[in-house]
């Protein structure tokens, strides 16, 4: 079975490594890692992932701007926002920006895998 | 369990964010209108909070969160940035640093953060009254807080891995270096044998051995190198604190942070560097009123500049302050009991060195930070303790420059073997401009003419108090930089020795008391045959002579 391809964007290597480990365990393939919103946009267009996980607070271009611009690309992908505690009001804005789910940090395996599992992406052949 | 991997990343990134915060706060203090700085600061706190929460470091999370909240309010213009806010954030930063250090050391995170949280809250209170009607920031619901799941649970039982980066006790490298030093000495015992031997295998073997030892040596040295920036990154904060205490304004410029030095040298450079900078702020830079009436900018400048000269590192610390009053130094030296004739006969260049004598600080007032006690004598001692030297240049009313010349690596020094009579000595290659073999007749009246310039010659043997060398037809002249004012404005100086031998990589051991009090030598090395040989301290030999040495006219 083809594993689902995920792009991670977070300015902290700490969270990128943590996410990568969790995703691997859940049978996902991490196809790219971006450290800011601009890189995320570039890699989303180039790598065509199934899922993009975007941190909200990032340098150069923040996650919300990146989400908006990625969804304008009209690619068949789902955007998941990853935000810290205390940023619930942002969720609404994130949905408007094109996100379809969110994960609240601190990350945990169950949280991440349950959220991604609920996206309803059929594990299909490309 | 693989939390160690996350911890290393956590520490690395958190420390980067902490440096970023420090830099940002100091920038904002100077230029509160720097808009980008607030955004950056906010992100740093935000990241520390997020990572700390994931690692389950509660006090760090709370403290970073409270600061992030405050910054968010500044960012959204609910409160105006003020000096007390920056001061509070700097104080909180110290507490953050302390906590991160505890994480690193695996100590319990028992720092009491409540006073800091209260301080942050009270600053926020002021704001709410001022900005009446402003929307309050979203609060975290208690349920959400209890839903925090420790990252440890998520990261368990994945796979067993170790990090590529190793933490090694610095002492291991010290031992390795000592062993390499011994290897070098063994090698230098073999080398003369290869000259005499006809065996190609033996010659090749020794050559390969030499190459391998050199490679190990290089690798160990480079593993020990750290950029000077690691040391100077805390300087802006120190300068800021001293300035706050003394009511002065100083713009600190740091150049050459990428220059790397052996960690043990860097470690020992910290304290003299801070002493010099404290002195520059306290005694060099004038109070604002005095600067204005002297037609200077209110803000003083202190510049720390690192560079490389041959195999040595040069660190210059200059200020645009009041400079050193040489007449005052001379008077004080006489008052302290130095011979008046001697002091008055001194050139300015010699006299300025008097401030390196104990108890000769000329500061009019005693300050909190440097007091009167932190004299240049201690600084000089510390610098010389790491094999460095110190020069002072000063122009009254214009400023002072202190130049530190430091070895970049410890222990192994490229040196030339020279002989005087039956004695052998080592001279650091870094001190030698040129080596010249001359006939006795070439030296007339204690002067050697070389390419049209006259170079004064002194006998190294006599300077060291040895028997005069044998009568010879040829001598070897070591041409060195002249730092001896008595010999006029000549840039170069020749040291006369009988002969010179190989250039070797000498493993220099420091001298221990009472030998450390010997004049003119700075270390000792064992030669290949086990014979101990002194490393000469050329700077000391050139700058003054205890034997009232006259020119070696022959």
């Amino acid at each position: 079975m083809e594993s689902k391809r995920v792009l991670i964007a977070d300015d902290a290597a700490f969270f990128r490594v943590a996410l990568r480990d969790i995703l691997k365990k859940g049978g996902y393939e991490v196809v790219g890692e971006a450290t800011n919103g601009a890189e995320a946009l570039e890699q989303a267009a180039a790598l065509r992932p199934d899922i993009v996980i975007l941190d909200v607070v990032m340098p150069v271009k923040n996650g919300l701007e990146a989400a908006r611009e990625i969804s304008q690309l009209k690619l068949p992908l789902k955007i998941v926002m990853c935000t810290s505690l205390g940023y619930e009001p942002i969720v609404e804005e994130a949905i408007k920006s094109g996100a379809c789910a969110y994960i609240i940090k601190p990350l945990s395996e169950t949280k991440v895998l349950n959220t991604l599992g609920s996206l309803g992406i059929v594990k299909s052949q490309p | 369990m693989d939390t160690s991997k996350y911890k290393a990343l956590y520490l690395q990134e958190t420390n980067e964010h902490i440096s970023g915060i420090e830099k940002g706060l100091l920038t904002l203090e100077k230029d509160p209108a720097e808009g980008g700085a607030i955004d950056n600061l906010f992100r740093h706190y935000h990241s520390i909070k997020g990572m700390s929460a994931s690692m389950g470091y509660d006090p760090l999370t709370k403290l970073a969160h409270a600061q992030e909240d405050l910054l968010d309010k500044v960012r959204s213009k609910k409160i105006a940035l003020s000096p007390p806010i920056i001061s509070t954030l700097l104080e909180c930063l110290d507490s953050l640093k302390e906590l991160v250090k505890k994480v690193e050391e695996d100590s319990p995170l028992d720092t009491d953060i409540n006073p800091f949280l209260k301080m942050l809250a009270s600053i926020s209170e002021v704001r709410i009254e001022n900005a009446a009607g402003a929307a309050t920031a979203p609060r975290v619901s208690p349920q959400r807080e209890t839903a925090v799941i420790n990252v440890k649970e998520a990261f368990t039982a994945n796979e067993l891995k170790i990090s590529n980066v190793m933490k090694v006790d610095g002492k291991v490298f010290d031992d390795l270096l000592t062993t390499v030093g011994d290897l070098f000495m063994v090698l230098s015992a073999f080398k003369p044998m290869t000259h005499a031997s006809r065996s190609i295998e033996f010659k090749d073997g020794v050559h390969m051995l030499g190459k391998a030892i050199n490679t190990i040596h290089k690798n160990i040295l480079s593993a020990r190198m750290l950029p000077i920036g690691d040391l100077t990154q805390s300087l802006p904060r120190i300068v800021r604190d001293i300035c706050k205490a003394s009511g002065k304004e100083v713009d600190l410029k740091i150049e050459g942070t990428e220059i790397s030095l052996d960690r043990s040298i860097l470690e020992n450079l910290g304290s003299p560097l801070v002493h010099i900078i404290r002195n520059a702020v306290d005694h060099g830079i004038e109070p604002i009123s005095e600067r204005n009436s002297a037609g200077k900018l209110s803000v003083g400048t202190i510049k720390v500049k690192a560079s490389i000269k041959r195999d040595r590192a040069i660190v210059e610390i200059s200020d645009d302050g009041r400079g050193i009053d040489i007449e005052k130094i001379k008077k004080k030296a006489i008052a302290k009991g130095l011979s008046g004739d001697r002091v008055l006969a001194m050139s300015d260049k010699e006299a300025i060195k008097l401030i390196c004598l104990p108890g000769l600080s000329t500061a009019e007032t005693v300050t909190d930070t440097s007091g009167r006690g932190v004299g240049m004598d201690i600084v000089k001692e510390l610098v010389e303790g790491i094999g460095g030297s110190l020069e002072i240049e000063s122009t009254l009313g214009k400023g002072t420059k202190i130049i530190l010349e430091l070895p970049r690596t410890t222990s192994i020094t490229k040196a030339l073997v020279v002989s005087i009579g039956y004695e052998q000595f080592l001279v650091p290659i870094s001190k030698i401009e040129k080596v010249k073999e001359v006939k006795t007749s070439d030296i007339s009246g204690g002067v050697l003419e070389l390419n049209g310039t006259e170079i004064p010659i002194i006998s190294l043997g006599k300077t060291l108090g040895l028997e005069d060398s044998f009568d010879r037809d040829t001598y070897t002249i070591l041409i060195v930089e002249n730092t001896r004012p008595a010999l006029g404005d000549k840039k170069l100086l020749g040291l006369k020795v009988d002969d010179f031998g190989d250039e070797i990589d000498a493993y220099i051991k420091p001298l221990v008391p009472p030998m450390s009090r010997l004049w003119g030598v700075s270390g000792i090395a064992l030669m290949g045959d086990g014979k101990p040989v002194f490393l000469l301290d050329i700077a000391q030999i050139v700058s003054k002579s205890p034997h009232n040495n006259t020119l070696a006219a022959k």
Side-chain angles (χ1 to χ4, degrees):
Chain A
M1 186 163 42
E2 190 71 17
S3 67
K4 284 178 281 186
R5 306 170 75 249
V6 186
L7 169 66
I8 299 172
D10 199 312
D11 54 334
F14 177 85
F15 285 118
R16 292 198 305 274
V17 173
L19 262 176
R20 198 199 301 153
D21 289 352
I22 294 172
L23 291 173
K24 251 193 215 162
K25 254 182 112 177
Y28 292 86
E29 184 196 354
V30 177
V31 292
E33 291 185 18
T35 61
N36 62 50
E39 281 179 26
L41 178 62
E42 226 169 76
Q43 294 190 21
L47 303 170
R48 303 295 172 106
D50 299 317
I51 301 167
V52 182
I53 302 179
L54 290 170
D55 179 29
V56 173
V57 180
M58 287 190 289
V60 188
K61 183 173 283 180
N62 71 37
L64 291 174
E65 290 168 317
R68 206 169 299 127
E69 291 174 36
I70 290 172
S71 48
Q72 277 163 11
L73 296 176
K74 308 271 182 231
L75 296 171
L77 52 73
K78 307 248 174 180
I79 297 172
V80 177
M81 301 307 294
C82 195
T83 101
S84 273
L85 270 177
Y87 283 78
E88 289 81 349
I90 279 177
V91 170
E92 202 180 318
E93 206 184 320
I95 304 288
K96 275 189 219 153
S97 303
C100 55
Y102 65 93
I103 302 165
I104 303 277
K105 286 176 186 173
L107 299 175
S108 83
E109 200 181 309
T110 15
K111 260 197 267 183
V112 173
L113 296 182
N114 285 345
T115 309
L116 296 193
S118 68
L119 292 176
I121 294 177
V122 184
K123 292 191 183 187
S124 60
Q125 300 297 322
Chain B
M1 282 277 275
D2 188 20
T3 46
S4 62
K5 173 173 157 195
Y6 297 101
K7 189 176 157 186
L9 259 179
Y10 171 84
L11 286 171
Q12 186 196 332
E13 295 201 306
T14 304
N15 281 323
E16 281 167 21
H17 287 300
I18 284 178
S19 313
I21 291 172
E22 189 143 59
K23 238 186 193 162
L25 288 175
L26 296 175
T27 309
L28 277 178
E29 189 165 52
K30 274 189 199 147
D31 181 11
E34 175 69 41
I38 295 178
D39 277 345
N40 282 336
L41 270 177
F42 170 80
R43 223 177 30 243
H44 289 312
Y45 286 119
H46 178 83
S47 297
I48 294 179
K49 178 198 71 174
M51 290 191 284
S52 302
S54 296
M55 292 296 285
Y57 301 146
D58 219 31
L60 270 158
T61 313
K62 281 188 181 142
L63 193 55
H65 193 167
Q67 294 176 88
E68 177 196 8
D69 271 357
L70 182 62
L71 253 299
D72 192 33
K73 280 159 198 162
V74 173
R75 192 166 75 147
S76 54
K77 309 251 187 286
K78 285 178 189 142
I79 49 172
L81 190 69
S82 63
I85 291 185
I86 291 176
S87 291
T88 308
L89 287 173
L90 278 169
E91 277 178 55
C92 293
L93 183 64
D94 289 339
S95 171
L96 271 184
K97 278 187 194 167
E98 189 187 320
L99 281 163
V100 173
K101 193 145 182 270
K102 285 183 177 169
V103 169
E104 196 169 355
E105 291 165 350
D106 287 321
S107 319
L109 305 179
D110 52 5
T111 305
D112 183 12
I113 58 164
N114 284 323
F116 298 103
L117 294 179
K118 271 183 198 149
M119 267 191 322
L120 290 165
S122 74
I123 282 191
S124 298
E125 290 309 313
V126 174
R127 158 208 40 103
I128 288 166
E129 283 162 22
N130 288 351
T136 45
R139 283 281 121 215
V140 182
S141 65
Q143 291 96 316
R144 188 67 76 189
E145 202 131 43
T146 51
V148 174
I149 300 165
N150 196 307
V151 75
K152 280 179 187 156
E153 177 215 271
F155 297 155
T156 47
N158 199 347
E159 48 199 315
L160 286 171
K161 260 195 242 163
I162 57 163
S163 157
N164 274 334
V165 181
M166 267 172 31
K167 222 171 159 181
V168 180
D169 189 340
K171 202 187 161 295
V172 173
F173 286 103
D174 293 344
D175 292 347
L176 276 173
L177 204 58
T178 309
T179 311
V180 170
D182 293 343
L183 281 175
F184 269 119
M185 285 307 145
V186 173
L187 184 69
S188 57
F190 275 122
K191 269 190 177 158
M193 288 185 228
T194 62
H195 298 317
S197 168
R198 280 160 188 264
S199 160
I200 299 288
E201 286 87 351
F202 179 59
K203 285 184 187 199
D204 280 355
V206 172
H207 178 70
M208 297 295 283
L209 183 65
K211 268 176 87 173
I213 296 175
N214 265 313
T215 310
I216 302 181
H217 179 219
K218 256 189 220 148
N219 287 337
I220 295 174
L221 289 187
S222 73
R224 293 171 56 97
M225 296 297 246
L226 289 173
I228 201 166
D230 282 12
L231 190 69
T232 55
Q233 64 172 352
S234 337
L235 276 182
R237 173 70 187 276
I238 292 171
V239 168
R240 177 222 176 243
D241 287 353
I242 307 171
C243 286
K244 275 268 135 79
S246 61
K248 294 176 184 175
E249 280 184 50
V250 170
D251 185 15
L252 178 71
K253 291 191 173 124
I254 303 177
E255 284 176 26
T257 49
E258 75 287 355
I259 303 288
S260 57
L261 292 174
D262 187 274
R263 55 177 296 280
S264 69
I265 295 172
L266 210 54
E267 206 173 12
N268 290 308
L269 180 61
S271 153
L273 194 59
V274 169
H275 280 327
I276 291 171
I277 288 187
R278 277 187 198 286
N279 281 340
V281 180
D282 278 340
H283 308 318
I285 303 292
E286 312 88 331
I288 294 173
S289 58
E290 201 181 318
R291 288 185 68 87
N292 288 339
S293 54
K296 291 182 179 178
L297 291 172
S298 311
V299 180
T301 302
I302 294 179
K303 197 162 119 183
V304 178
K305 189 180 154 199
S307 58
I308 289 180
K309 188 181 168 195
R310 289 195 206 140
D311 63 341
R312 311 274 282 182
I314 309 291
V315 181
E316 296 176 347
I317 304 101
S318 50
D319 66 65
D320 66 345
R322 59 167 76 92
I324 296 170
D325 188 341
I326 293 172
E327 292 311 311
K328 209 186 257 174
I329 299 265
K330 284 184 174 176
K331 269 184 209 150
K332 197 147 181 183
I334 295 168
K336 289 265 174 184
L338 259 72
S339 140
D341 293 344
R342 241 182 88 193
V343 170
L344 292 174
M346 281 180 177
S347 68
D348 286 357
K349 211 172 164 182
E350 283 177 298
I352 206 162
K353 289 189 179 163
L354 289 171
I355 67 163
C356 294
L357 293 175
L360 271 178
S361 169
T362 61
E364 308 273 338
T365 53
V366 176
T367 66
D368 280 352
T369 43
S370 64
R372 215 191 273 275
V374 183
M376 286 299 291
D377 52 328
I378 296 166
V379 173
K380 187 165 179 271
E381 208 169 280
L382 291 170
V383 171
E384 286 174 353
I386 49 175
S389 62
L390 179 151
E391 291 282 328
I392 306 160
E393 289 172 8
S394 185
T395 311
L396 191 59
K398 292 267 164 64
T400 303
K401 186 195 256 184
I402 295 191
I403 305 149
L404 308 179
E405 192 193 308
L406 305 159
R408 293 186 64 205
T409 56
T410 48
S411 311
I412 291 178
T413 307
K414 283 205 179 302
L416 185 73
V417 182
V418 300
S419 58
I420 302 165
Y422 292 114
E423 298 292 332
Q424 281 191 322
F425 294 97
L426 294 174
V427 178
I429 290 289
S430 62
K431 292 288 177 191
I432 302 175
E433 302 276 340
K434 207 177 258 179
V435 178
K436 180 99 183 145
E437 283 193 280
V438 297
K439 291 202 183 77
T440 316
S441 55
D442 293 342
I443 310 170
S444 61
V447 172
L448 172 74
E449 207 179 294
L450 188 72
N451 305 332
T453 47
E454 289 188 339
I455 298 171
I457 303 292
I458 58 174
S459 160
L460 190 56
K462 275 192 190 169
T463 309
L464 293 170
L466 295 172
E467 290 295 308
D468 201 8
S469 43
F470 313 121
D471 277 335
R472 305 169 61 100
D473 294 336
T474 58
Y475 291 99
T476 297
I477 304 291
L478 307 176
I479 296 172
V480 300
E481 202 184 339
N482 179 26
T483 49
R484 184 179 201 172
L487 288 174
D489 53 359
K490 296 280 188 300
K491 275 170 83 171
L492 297 172
L493 180 73
L495 296 172
K496 192 182 71 150
V497 298
D498 287 347
D499 204 357
F500 72 100
D502 291 331
E503 181 188 320
I504 62 164
D505 289 303
Y507 177 65
I508 306 295
K509 294 183 184 182
L511 296 172
V512 289
M515 287 215 294
S516 55
R517 287 198 290 271
L518 280 175
W519 183 89
V521 294
S522 57
I524 198 162
L526 284 179
M527 301 298 277
D529 56 3
K531 190 175 132 193
V533 171
F534 282 117
L535 179 78
L536 296 179
D537 183 344
I538 295 297
Q540 196 176 42
I541 289 170
V542 171
S543 65
K544 60 174 180 185
S545 158
H547 302 293
N548 197 19
N549 159 274
T550 49
L551 297 183
K554 255 199 149 266

